[in-house]
């Protein structure tokens, strides 16, 4: 067995890839090898070592996840055979499950929605599935629809002098994993990172496994603000920040006057937008990975690779592009697509897919600092904004 496969196995990623009743899958071992190189480069810029294997498998260790084959390790996403190929659909939110009867145009989806979804998908073309899912705001992807692409970078304000991360003010409006990971790495590098959440719709992981939420957000200040009724406060924070991390669809902020076109683009400032795909469809890590063809190999079709693997890979990539932009002097709007990142890793050479040797589950990451309670730092954040010249705070 190659050294890459050996590391893939010991990391727990082989434990998370393959059919649940079959051998572990080693076909994507080079993904971890490349991620380790990226993490080493990013860590060199940030001033500390980054454990790529721990980032890719840490959540699964915390939640006790195992491989599910065509059911994602987190159990919210499934690979479904369509009439002309494979697709992935994610049902992670109550609204997603509620939309299934409308998607399949049948009340038979009440209760467990997956049997009805499987039957319906088998009769549909992939374009029809994605079109209808998009109309209903359901996360869905065609296997391999995305192509590898560098982050899209556009000028946003004036470029300033090159600078480091220590002392920066970062407004983190993202949720779940990819964006919060970028914010957490910047916080560890010395930035003041403000996690922004709505009181009516906080980060969904806050109500989940506490260890995971702490892992992603333990170094950040918590700022709770109503995006509609208190948009002025949020706009002032965005105008004061050196870096903005956004993970929602652009229209969600634009209709509230909180997008990059609504906020003064000061000298050297960076707006990072993390998207699922090149368009504005919703996405989660598992379906975005399928969109990028980052899947394992099994009999009669693909299987999920790792646990929501497009999320941590994108978090690493996002941190790299922010560090690079700071070195250029900023003044940039940067868009990073999770599916495109996954496609880049999917293009790496594959290895022999399976081995009968036992593999360990992923190890737990080191304990993280407890994250602040929702809104615990509102006053402190307003003082920081005021000190940066915001006269109306």
């Amino acid at each position: 067995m190659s050294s890459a496969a050996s590391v893939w196995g010991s990391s727990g990623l082989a434990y998370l890839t393959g059919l649940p009743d079959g051998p572990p899958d080693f076909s994507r071992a080079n993904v971890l090898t490349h991620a380790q190189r990226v993490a080493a480069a990013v860590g060199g810029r940030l001033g500390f070592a980054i454990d790529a294997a721990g980032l890719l498998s840490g959540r699964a260790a915390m939640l006790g996840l195992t491989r599910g084959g065509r059911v994602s390790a987190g159990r919210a996403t499934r690979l479904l055979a369509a009439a002309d190929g494979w697709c992935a659909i994610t049902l992670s939110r109550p609204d997603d499950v509620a939309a299934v009867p409308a998607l399949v145009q049948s009340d038979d989806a009440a209760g467990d929605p997956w049997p009805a979804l499987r039957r319906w998908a088998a009769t549909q073309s992939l374009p029809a599935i994605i079109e209808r899912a998009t109309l209903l705001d359901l996360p869905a992807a065609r296997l391999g629809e995305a192509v590898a692409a560098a982050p899209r970078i556009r000028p946003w304000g004036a470029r300033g002098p090159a600078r480091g991360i220590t002392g920066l003010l970062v407004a983190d409006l993202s949720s779940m994993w990819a964006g919060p990971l970028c914010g957490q790495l910047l916080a560890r590098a010395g930035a003041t990172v403000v996690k922004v959440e709505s009181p009516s719709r906080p980060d969904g992981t806050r109500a989940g496994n506490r260890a995971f939420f702490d892992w992603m957000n333990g170094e950040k200040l918590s700022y709770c603000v109503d995006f509609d009724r208190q948009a002025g406060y949020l706009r002032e924070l965005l105008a004061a920040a050196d870096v903005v991390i956004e993970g929602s669809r652009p229209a969600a902020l634009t209709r509230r006057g909180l997008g990059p076109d609504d906020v003064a683009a000061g000298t050297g400032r960076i707006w990072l937008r993390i998207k699922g795909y090149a368009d504005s469809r919703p996405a989660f890590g598992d379906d975005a990975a399928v969109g990028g063809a980052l899947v394992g190999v099994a009999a009669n079709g693909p299987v999920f690779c790792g646990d929501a693997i497009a999320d941590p890979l994108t978090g690493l990539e996002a941190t790299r592009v922010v560090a690079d932009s700071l070195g250029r002097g900023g003044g940039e709007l940067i868009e990073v697509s999770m599916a495109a990142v996954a496609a880049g890793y999917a293009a790496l050479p594959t290895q022999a897919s399976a081995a009968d040797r036992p593999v360990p589950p992923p190890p737990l990451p080191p304990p993280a600092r407890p994250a602040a309670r929702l809104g615990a730092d509102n006053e402190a954040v307003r003082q920081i904004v005021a000190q940066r010249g915001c006269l109306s705070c």
Side-chain angles (χ1 to χ4, degrees), residues 309-324:
I309 197 166
D311 269 309
L313 291 177
T314 301
L316 261 181
E317 173 68 7
T319 309
R320 182 189 68 78
V321 298
V322 168
D324 288 348

Side-chain angles (χ1 to χ4, degrees), residues 121-177:
T123 67
Q124 304 294 312
S125 69
L126 290 169
I129 290 172
I130 301 306
E131 179 182 9
R132 188 155 183 81
T134 301
L135 287 173
L136 294 168
D137 203 33
L138 283 167
R142 303 189 306 274
L143 176 62
E145 67 172 89
V147 297
R152 183 183 181 191
I153 301 174
R154 291 178 283 168
W156 187 57
R159 183 161 290 180
R163 51 182 172 165
I165 295 169
T166 301
L168 296 181
L169 177 61
V170 178
D172 181 3
L173 280 68
S174 65
S175 61
M176 306 304 285
W177 197 349

Side-chain angles (χ1 to χ4, degrees), residues 88 140-147 277 286-295 339-340 342-343:
R142 303 189 306 274
L143 176 62
E145 67 172 89
V147 297
Y277 308 96
D286 284 307
D287 60 85
V290 172
L294 185 51
V295 294

